[in-house]
Amino acid sequence: MTVHPLPTDAFGRTIEQPLLDWANGDKLAYTDTAGQSPAFTTDLVYVCSDQDCLITMGSDPTATDGDDSFLVPANTPLWFAFISGQKISAVRKGASSGSLYIVPAVAVTIS
């Protein structure tokens, strides 16, 4: 087995690494009509989309092409702080429908 050391910063401190909860992830399909994920019980989420899309979060969110939604560029993994119990909504940005991959995570530090 190969053991890969955790990365460290310039001062030799271990950089915090998220532990992904793969079993509770979701693949959220979206079109020109917003899709909505189930609720997640976490305070950190990893998202990545196969097409440009807009997302928003809340108890009953609906993503739109407006000021209340955030652009997720295609194939660009992003991390978001999250309020446990909330959901994510996504809608396409442009002509292509796609899928938003959402994986809840917990932050872990090993020193």
Side-chain angles (χ1 to χ4, degrees):
M1 175 171 78
T2 303
V3 176
H4 299 283
L6 292 173
T8 56
D9 65 15
F11 301 102
R13 297 176 296 209
T14 301
I15 297 172
E16 190 171 315
Q17 296 293 301
L19 176 64
L20 297 173
D21 183 4
W22 295 104
N24 291 304
D26 187 55
K27 179 181 175 183
L28 172 61
Y30 58 82
T31 62
D32 58 341
T33 301
Q36 191 178 91
S37 74
F40 291 101
T41 52
T42 185
D43 59 1
L44 183 67
V45 291
Y46 166 88
V47 300
C48 191
S49 181
D50 58 6
Q51 302 293 326
D52 289 350
C53 71
L54 295 154
I55 68 169
T56 192
M57 301 172 199
S59 59
D60 187 23
T62 302
T64 64
D65 193 1
D67 293 341
D68 62 341
S69 298
F70 184 85
L71 175 65
V72 176
N75 304 311
T76 305
L78 299 170
W79 293 97
F80 291 95
F82 195 74
I83 297 172
S84 186
Q86 291 196 336
K87 303 173 185 179
I88 298 175
S89 175
V91 67
R92 72 182 184 199
K93 174 74 174 170
S96 298
S97 299
S99 295
L100 180 70
Y101 299 87
I102 307 164
V103 182
V106 290
V108 176
T109 300
I110 300 174
S111 0

